[in-house]
Amino acid sequence: MFPVHRIRPRPIIHDIKVARVSPSFASFSPTKMKPALGFLLLPWLAASWAQNVNQLRDQLAAHNITALFKNDAGYSAAATSYNIRYTVEPLAITYPTDIQQISFVVETGAEQKLRVVARSGGHSYIANSLGGKDGALVVDLSRMKRITVDSQTKNAVVEPGNRLGDIALALNAVGRGLPHGRCAYVGIGGHSGFGGWGFASRMWGLTLDNVLSATVVLADGSIVTTSQYSNPELYWGIRGSSASFGIVSSIEFRTFAVPPSGTGFEYLWEMDIPTASHAFAQFQSWALSGSIPQTFGGEIAFMKGSSYGLVEFAFFGAYFGSDESFNNTVSPFFSELPVPNVSANLTSGSWIEVLEYLATGVGPLNTSGQPDIGSDTFYAKSLMTPMDVPLTNASMTAMVKYLAEEGFNSSDFWHVEVELYGGKGSAINQVLLDDTAFAHRNTLFTFQPYASSSNLLPPYPETGFGFVDGIVDSITSNMPRDWEWGAYPNYIEDRLPDWQRRYYGPHYERLKLLKASVDPADRFQFPTSIQES
Ligand SMILES: Cc1cc2nc3c(=O)[nH]c(=O)nc-3n(C[C@H](O)[C@H](O)[C@H](O)COP(=O)(O)OP(=O)(O)OC[C@H]3O[C@@H](n4cnc5c(N)ncnc54)[C@H](O)[C@@H]3O)c2cc1C
Ligand SMILES: *[C@@H]1O[C@H](CO)[C@@H](O)[C@H](O)[C@H]1NC(C)=O
Ligand SMILES: *[C@@H]1O[C@H](CO)[C@@H](O)[C@H](O)[C@H]1NC(C)=O
Ligand SMILES: *[C@@H]1O[C@H](CO)[C@@H](O)[C@H](O)[C@H]1NC(C)=O
Ligand SMILES: *[C@@H]1O[C@H](CO)[C@@H](O)[C@H](O)[C@H]1NC(C)=O
Ligand SMILES: *[C@@H]1O[C@H](CO)[C@@H](O)[C@H](O)[C@H]1NC(C)=O
Ligand SMILES: *[C@@H]1O[C@H](CO)[C@@H](O)[C@H](O)[C@H]1NC(C)=O
Ligand SMILES: *[C@@H]1O[C@H](CO)[C@@H](O)[C@H](O)[C@H]1NC(C)=O
């Protein structure tokens, strides 16, 4: 789950091992949760919170719900974020095993006016599933892993403790598949709540586009069903911004017959600035040409070159048409590029073999052998570009130059992914803008600039933020001033000044109304949650 692996299905370079560190948590203090009350109330508050903590512990125990509080064995490991740039201390981490238990945890938390958050796979970039800041009540869903597939409809009911790799295996066992990202360890809860892009998305849409219904626990502990027919506004909201409205406790997905075969591919070059700028521009021309079939999914990526003025350039993805037609499909782009001078790799096989090939380096598809792998210390941003205002050559060249020069000088361990969402016929963009809360149905590319500390461990260098900001600026400062770019809420960050507009665009106002109606007391609260006013 390290960045080099994440964008390299066949890591040909080094294999980085990260030691699990136990972060030193800032000591717990009730004032952190209620700073506004001031020091005069502190003695009362401390007593009251202590009592509440004991009461909470007793209530959960009485319902047989496992819970870890500070100082309990296992708490530190359980409170460790995937991005260890964050150290967050939840009030408690609970492990419900069914929907009734989730309901009880939420109701009890709400009574004590706690902030409540769900954790599925725990891969939030900013520790939102630990609350983002101290004092939250975490509902960890990892003990809810059922997956069933209806033999008639082939719809799958998936509990939110599942990871993407395990879901892919379970569905494949009955000849079915879903579109989603290739990191097997990402959880379905966050992934399907905010997007879910993968190499099958141009063919089948985002993960959230295939949510047919869901069971949701609301802030008062009530359990509701949402679908097109039942609580439709909530159904709209959980497909794009789920975490602000409730705890999605079970999800029914539409599934697809797996394609008979596919090809996974990865090509790597080292390029100078003019060559890489040209390659980038050609990738866009190809994407806009209308010639890419839905069965193709892919991206280009940039990494540090071996000397100043060079970048490493990658082109990788999957094609789910016939093996013979793969070369014809990619040749309009490929023929514009030099011969790959780092590596070239291609695998043909079944659907699940292609997923396995693409996941290699980010872990096995079956995650049950290892509960989790890796962690990272990083900052990432996103930039979603509208299809109707293509990138200027100046913007693409500026980014390449920045990466080949500033990027070479940077000691961070970085990469920039440019994922193909659009192009004619892409299923992602065929969904009507207002059908789901996801706000970007006219996207050509989603960029993900990502920089880790050099050894992937804390502390994160202060210069990393500016370096990553500069990648996005190299593009936006070479585009028209009124260019409406977006940001992807699954590559969430907490340093984006106008995040409401960038993540949710025209949907933010409607999300606020939904928030006011289903969670007026703001129990489901974290740094980028929807605010009702
Ligand atoms: C290594 C790696 C690879 C990735 N690759 C891709 C990719 O290829 N494509 C892509 O689109 N994204 C990708 N992502 C981003 C990923 O989709 C998001 O980080 C996602 O939100 C993680 O989901 P999670 O359940 O693991 O995370 P969590 O941290 O558990 O949850 C993320 C957010 O969702 C909320 N949430 C979780 N479960 C529920 C629930 N049941 N009900 C309500 N709210 C819930 C949490 O409270 C939190 O706010 C990747 C991330 C990583 C770290
Ligand atoms: C808790 O578990 C015990 C022992 O299995 C059982 O007797 C009791 O009914 C359970 N309580 C609840 C609330 O589920
Ligand atoms: C690849 O080719 C480029 C020229 O386009 C050259 O600068 C670079 O050194 C080569 N890299 C490798 C690893 O061969
Ligand atoms: C942009 O770059 C591409 C590829 O390098 C080139 O073919 C095209 O003519 C350029 N467009 C402009 C407007 O300069
Ligand atoms: C496609 O091209 C690759 C080289 O890029 C080659 O190895 C492979 O044999 C070709 N496949 C077909 C089916 O032509
Ligand atoms: C391609 O991937 C296969 C399977 O992992 C590996 O054995 C092979 O060495 C790779 N080839 C190249 C040229 O990188
Ligand atoms: C995953 O591996 C475990 C053993 O570690 C096995 O019991 C389980 O059946 C596997 N799951 C799938 C879907 O293959
Ligand atoms: C990168 O570092 C070199 C050597 O210190 C310096 O000459 C060059 O100006 C730096 N480039 C940038 C873009 O900062």
Side-chain angles (χ1 to χ4, degrees):
M1 216 95 74
F2 319 117
V4 69
H5 291 158
R6 191 146 67 81
I7 57 163
R8 284 179 189 163
R10 285 287 170 276
I12 43 165
I13 324 235
H14 30 277
D15 187 29
I16 294 175
K17 282 267 174 288
V18 183
R20 202 115 175 102
V21 300
S22 31
S24 54
F25 290 102
S27 64
F28 176 75
S29 138
T31 53
K32 280 188 191 154
M33 300 190 305
K34 299 264 174 176
L37 291 180
F39 64 94
L40 285 178
L41 289 173
L42 227 155
W44 168 80
L45 200 60
S48 142
W49 277 105
Q51 186 182 22
N52 285 355
V53 168
N54 288 335
Q55 188 189 329
L56 183 64
R57 198 193 277 272
D58 292 347
Q59 285 171 316
L60 294 169
H63 280 72
N64 294 340
I65 299 168
T66 305
L68 295 175
F69 290 78
K70 189 179 147 92
N71 299 327
D72 288 350
Y75 173 89
S76 290
T80 301
S81 172
Y82 174 76
N83 185 355
I84 45 180
R85 182 159 67 77
Y86 291 83
T87 52
V88 178
E89 190 171 85
L91 181 67
I93 302 175
T94 62
Y95 295 87
T97 55
D98 61 28
I99 293 183
Q100 273 66 37
Q101 289 197 345
I102 297 177
S103 160
F104 184 77
V105 174
V106 173
E107 191 185 346
T108 310
E111 276 165 17
Q112 298 211 12
K113 301 194 172 6
L114 297 172
R115 289 180 292 115
V116 180
V117 291
R119 179 163 67 178
S120 171
H123 277 58
S124 170
Y125 283 10
I126 59 171
N128 275 347
S129 50
L130 288 167
K133 55 186 176 174
D134 294 354
L137 179 63
V138 176
V139 182
D140 181 297
L141 299 159
S142 60
R143 296 194 182 171
M144 294 181 60
K145 290 191 190 288
R146 250 192 315 255
I147 300 175
T148 55
V149 182
D150 185 284
S151 59
Q152 298 300 310
T153 63
K154 307 293 184 193
N155 295 338
V157 176
V158 176
E159 286 189 335
N162 284 291
R163 313 283 181 121
L164 303 181
D166 302 299
I167 296 170
L169 287 168
L171 296 184
N172 183 63
V174 292
R176 310 297 290 183
L178 255 187
H180 52 70
R182 74 192 173 96
C183 177
Y185 280 77
V186 166
I188 194 67
H191 203 61
S192 69
F194 293 92
W197 177 87
F199 297 134
S201 289
R202 296 186 70 257
M203 177 166 72
W204 294 339
L206 299 171
T207 311
L208 64 75
D209 294 328
N210 297 294
V211 174
L212 295 174
S213 71
T215 307
V216 183
V217 174
L218 299 178
D220 60 359
S222 59
I223 300 170
V224 299
T225 300
T226 61
S227 71
Q228 184 182 347
Y229 310 106
S230 165
N231 298 300
E233 192 64 6
L234 182 60
Y235 175 59
W236 176 83
I238 60 161
R239 292 172 301 149
S241 199
S242 64
S244 292
F245 307 116
I247 302 205
V248 177
S249 306
S250 159
I251 314 167
E252 183 190 15
F253 287 106
R254 171 195 301 121
T255 66
F256 300 86
V258 299
S261 68
T263 300
F265 63 93
E266 182 201 44
Y267 299 101
L268 280 172
W269 295 254
E270 199 171 38
M271 292 181 179
D272 59 18
I273 295 169
T275 310
S277 303
H278 179 73
F280 194 175
Q282 289 300 328
F283 186 59
Q284 176 168 263
S285 306
W286 181 51
L288 292 171
S289 70
S291 71
I292 311 181
Q294 282 188 316
T295 45
F296 175 89
E299 62 180 272
I300 58 171
F302 298 85
M303 289 148 289
K304 192 188 272 198
S306 64
S307 61
Y308 191 79
L310 296 181
V311 289
E312 214 168 83
F313 180 89
F315 173 46
F316 62 94
Y319 176 65
F320 297 109
S322 70
D323 299 353
E324 306 77 59
S325 57
F326 171 71
N327 284 11
N328 284 341
T329 300
V330 299
S331 74
F333 172 49
F334 214 75
S335 62
E336 292 292 330
L337 303 173
V339 172
N341 68 353
V342 177
S343 71
N345 214 322
L346 198 72
T347 287
S348 295
S350 66
W351 158 257
I352 204 72
E353 283 166 349
V354 171
L355 296 197
E356 255 153 19
Y357 165 79
L358 293 164
T360 302
V362 288
L365 284 183
N366 185 333
T367 72
S368 62
Q370 277 173 286
D372 207 348
I373 49 169
S375 56
D376 195 358
T377 305
F378 69 100
Y379 174 52
K381 300 180 79 72
S382 63
L383 166 70
M384 302 181 85
T385 74
M387 266 197 47
D388 49 359
V389 187
L391 297 171
T392 56
N393 279 0
S395 72
M396 292 184 276
T397 304
M399 188 184 95
V400 169
K401 185 170 171 4
Y402 183 84
L403 297 177
E405 295 179 349
E406 309 271 353
F408 181 78
N409 283 3
S410 164
S411 61
D412 298 343
F413 188 59
W414 59 264
H415 64 263
V416 181
E417 291 178 82
V418 184
E419 303 163 344
L420 181 64
Y421 272 52
K424 196 172 157 210
S426 170
I428 301 168
N429 292 341
Q430 281 171 24
V431 176
L432 296 178
L433 174 62
D434 294 339
D435 279 3
T436 71
F438 185 81
H440 310 288
R441 297 298 183 177
N442 178 33
T443 301
L444 183 61
F445 298 135
T446 296
F447 284 64
Q448 178 174 210
Y450 186 117
S452 307
S453 64
S454 56
N455 62 358
L456 313 187
L457 295 173
Y460 191 71
E462 205 48 48
T463 52
F465 298 109
F467 171 61
V468 177
D469 289 342
I471 299 173
V472 169
D473 291 346
S474 68
I475 296 287
T476 55
S477 64
N478 285 286
M479 292 297 292
R481 201 168 285 280
D482 60 354
W483 188 54
E484 262 311 304
W485 56 276
Y488 178 38
N490 255 338
Y491 299 159
I492 191 88
E493 61 157 310
D494 53 15
R495 293 178 67 258
L496 191 58
D498 48 354
W499 62 268
Q500 295 89 340
R501 166 165 149 238
R502 298 296 178 199
Y503 289 131
Y504 299 111
H507 289 160
Y508 196 71
E509 290 303 311
R510 186 169 162 190
L511 289 165
K512 277 165 60 177
L513 292 175
L514 178 61
K515 179 73 173 177
S517 86
V518 299
D519 184 19
D522 203 9
R523 296 277 60 88
F524 298 116
Q525 194 192 119
F526 50 92
T528 51
S529 57
I530 307 298
Q531 298 300 304
E532 45 184 290
S533 54

